């Protein structure tokens, strides 16, 4: 069976696909306060194929109809594949399956990969809380250092 060229030298094949073609709409997002992710682009692998480098945002990929194993992560220093996540996505012929990848706030945590959701408000609150705790700890350490003199 011939593969479908997804660009960047990535050709996706699926030996078990049904006749026809569908579309997988993949949204790749990162937490608002996790600025270190902006230095890297996420990776996406379909059906165990070579990973393709994509930018943050939404991408529409033509795929054969059928079930596809999707993996996503962000390259990082430690761990090498931050926010790893995996899901099986069913794509019907002539239809679009929407999938969302959300990188975690902490690089050692798992990312989210699955049905599109409206998780951005909850993520933003988590980032604000984590950053708030970090600022309070920094101020306390600074105060202790200055008072110890």
């Amino acid at each position: 069976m011939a593969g479908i060229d997804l660009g960047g030298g990535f050709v996706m094949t699926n030996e078990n696909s049904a006749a026809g073609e569908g579309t997988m709409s993949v949204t790749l997002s990162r937490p608002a306060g996790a600025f270190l992710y902006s230095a890297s682009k996420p990776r996406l692998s379909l059906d165990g194929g070579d990973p393709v480098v994509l930018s943050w945002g939404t991408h529409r990929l033509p795929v054969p109809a059928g079930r596809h194993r999707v993996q996503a992560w962000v390259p990082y220093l430690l761990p090498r594949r931050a926010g790893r996540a995996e899901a099986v996505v069913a794509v019907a012929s002539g239809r679009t399956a929407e999938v969302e990848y959300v990188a975690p706030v902490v690089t050692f945590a798992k990312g989210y990969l699955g049905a599109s959701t409206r998780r951005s408000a909850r993520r933003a609150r988590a980032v604000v809380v984590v950053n708030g705790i970090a600022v309070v700890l920094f101020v306390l350490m600074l105060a202790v250092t200055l008072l110890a003199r």
Side-chain angles (χ1 to χ4, degrees):
M1 173 181 185
I4 294 177
D5 186 2
L6 297 177
F10 184 161
V11 177
M12 195 229 42
T13 62
N14 185 358
E15 301 299 327
N16 299 323
S17 66
E21 186 177 279
T23 303
M24 190 179 301
S25 178
V26 181
T27 300
L28 305 165
S29 61
R30 61 188 184 267
F35 61 91
L36 291 176
Y37 283 128
S38 57
S40 185
K41 293 184 178 181
R43 305 300 195 260
L44 187 76
S45 174
L46 296 176
D47 299 321
D50 291 334
V52 64
V53 179
L54 297 171
S55 59
W56 297 103
T58 301
H59 305 273
R60 296 178 59 79
L61 309 173
V63 295
R67 294 172 60 84
H68 301 278
R69 184 172 56 101
V70 181
Q71 295 176 313
W73 67 91
V74 181
Y76 204 72
L77 295 175
L78 287 174
R80 301 296 286 167
R81 291 183 174 194
R84 292 179 74 160
E86 183 174 328
V88 174
V89 179
V91 180
S93 181
R95 305 293 301 249
T96 298
E98 293 190 17
V99 181
E100 179 180 25
Y101 170 72
V102 181
V105 174
V106 179
T107 59
F108 289 97
K110 293 181 89 170
Y112 170 81
L113 182 63
S116 293
T117 63
R118 300 287 180 220
R119 297 166 42 115
S120 59
R122 201 168 60 212
R123 281 184 308 177
R125 277 192 299 259
V127 169
V128 168
V129 168
V130 169
N131 287 337
I133 291 170
V135 167
V136 168
L137 289 174
F138 175 75
V139 169
L140 286 174
M141 288 177 16
L142 183 62
V144 168
T145 302
L146 292 175
L147 292 174
R149 289 183 171 191

